[in-house]
Amino acid sequence: MIRVTVWNEYLHDDPTFEHCSEEAIKQHPNGLHETIADIVRELGDEVEVRTAQMKQPENGLTDEVLENTDVMIWWGHMGHQFVADEVVEKVYKRIMNGMGLIGLHSGHYSKIFRKLNGTTCSLKWRDGTYERLFNVKPTHPIADGIPEHFELGIEECYGEYFDIATPDDVIFEGWYDIGEVFRSGCTFTRGYGKIFYFQPGHETNGSFYNPYVRRIIQNAVRWCYNDKNRRITLGAPSIEVTLEQARLEGNTGEYLKMWD
């Protein structure tokens, strides 16, 4: 079973927040975290889903939550700076040790995504444009069941140059009716962790209700998951016994324990 945590800053879509958006609340009456969680829940018995919000203790990402998360989905937009640095560091270490991360929409500008990229992750933007999404790597597992292209409709335009590290793969590219293009679906590997960035999901638009967007997020959950057989220790252990010594002594298994 894949244990998924959906993290949402919960500002635009929180009716108790002074600067909330009525349109965002209309689109996501139970919060963006529940809208996204419902997408993942469609995977049924494959997943166990929990949600977390920024205003909870430790920004909702306690040690217990992180230890019980295989894949984290991150949605943020206007509150990136309020996420504690120590929480970001904990999330970073979990990703390096094998936790998957799916960054949605303005999650590109989150502290964790910028730390993983080592770049500004800046881009151009404009509200209220029409987007068509192209599937440019149909052989990738995240593109399973996705047509050559599909109409996303009205979305917030993100335009190049997108200042990210070179992706392992660019799976989707967006085209906008104002002439901009964007690398809308990119994968990265950091340590043992697999990362997918996906551009759709502006809080006042309905992209998360698009069946292909939902399928892509579900595919990404499966792809980002690392099974329990992975080696999860990263570091620089001292070689107390050389591999050749261990071979001669018939004790190679003990030598290899340092890498478990």
Side-chain angles (χ1 to χ4, degrees):
M1 179 176 291
I2 306 173
R3 301 169 299 176
V4 181
T5 297
V6 178
W7 189 91
N8 173 25
E9 67 180 22
Y10 199 34
L11 295 175
H12 291 283
D13 44 326
D14 178 2
T16 68
F17 179 55
E18 180 182 2
H19 303 292
C20 68
S21 162
E22 290 185 8
E23 184 57 34
I25 294 168
K26 180 180 178 182
Q27 288 282 353
H28 311 286
N30 297 314
L32 269 152
H33 46 283
E34 284 298 327
T35 296
I36 298 165
D38 282 344
I39 296 173
V40 182
R41 290 182 184 118
E42 290 178 356
L43 291 172
D45 292 341
E46 285 188 63
V47 295
E48 176 183 284
V49 186
R50 73 194 306 164
T51 63
Q53 296 88 53
M54 184 172 63
K55 288 173 279 190
Q56 294 172 331
E58 298 183 58
N59 299 136
L61 300 175
T62 63
D63 290 341
E64 180 185 0
V65 169
L66 290 175
E67 286 299 319
N68 288 282
T69 300
D70 298 313
V71 176
M72 180 174 294
I73 301 178
W74 192 285
W75 195 99
H77 200 166
M78 64 190 297
H80 301 306
Q81 69 274 25
F82 300 121
V83 179
D85 290 341
E86 55 267 29
V87 170
V88 174
E89 186 62 28
K90 290 196 300 181
V91 174
Y92 175 80
K93 288 179 179 178
R94 283 286 292 134
I95 292 168
M96 295 297 287
N97 284 341
M99 183 180 77
L101 178 71
I102 300 171
L104 297 176
H105 195 55
S106 284
H108 74 89
Y109 215 54
S110 63
K111 288 182 179 180
I112 183 58
F113 193 73
R114 286 187 288 142
K115 181 177 178 69
L116 290 162
N117 273 265
T119 63
T120 68
C121 296
S122 59
L123 45 75
K124 294 186 292 185
W125 65 276
R126 179 173 174 173
D127 283 334
T129 58
Y130 187 91
E131 181 177 4
R132 178 178 297 150
L133 210 62
F134 286 85
N135 180 356
V136 297
K137 190 157 189 179
T139 57
H140 197 283
I142 294 178
D144 179 55
I146 307 303
E148 181 182 76
H149 67 268
F150 64 91
E151 309 300 310
L152 192 58
I154 300 300
E155 248 293 355
E156 182 177 37
C157 170
Y158 282 178
E160 297 286 351
Y161 176 61
F162 189 16
D163 184 26
I164 53 175
T166 302
D168 295 342
D169 287 299
V170 177
I171 306 172
F172 304 106
E173 291 185 358
W175 169 89
Y176 301 87
D177 62 356
I178 59 172
E180 299 290 340
V181 295
F182 190 71
R183 288 168 288 169
S184 294
C186 306
T187 65
F188 308 85
T189 305
R190 295 293 183 269
Y192 295 117
K194 294 194 286 186
I195 301 156
F196 177 56
Y197 170 73
F198 193 38
Q199 159 266 315
H202 187 62
E203 68 275 2
T204 61
N205 301 130
S207 294
F208 288 137
Y209 301 103
N210 182 293
Y212 293 125
V213 169
R214 298 172 80 88
R215 177 67 179 263
I216 289 166
I217 293 171
Q218 292 162 2
N219 289 346
V221 167
R222 291 183 174 121
W223 180 81
C224 284
Y225 173 62
N226 285 329
D227 65 28
K228 296 291 187 282
N229 294 322
R230 69 186 186 275
R231 294 188 303 183
I232 63 171
T233 301
L234 292 172
S238 172
I239 300 175
E240 303 296 336
V241 179
T242 70
L243 181 58
E244 182 62 11
Q245 286 174 317
R247 185 187 67 80
L248 292 172
E249 296 170 7
N251 201 20
T252 307
E254 290 298 315
Y255 173 89
L256 293 176
K257 282 184 179 179
M258 72 170 66
W259 301 103
D260 290 339

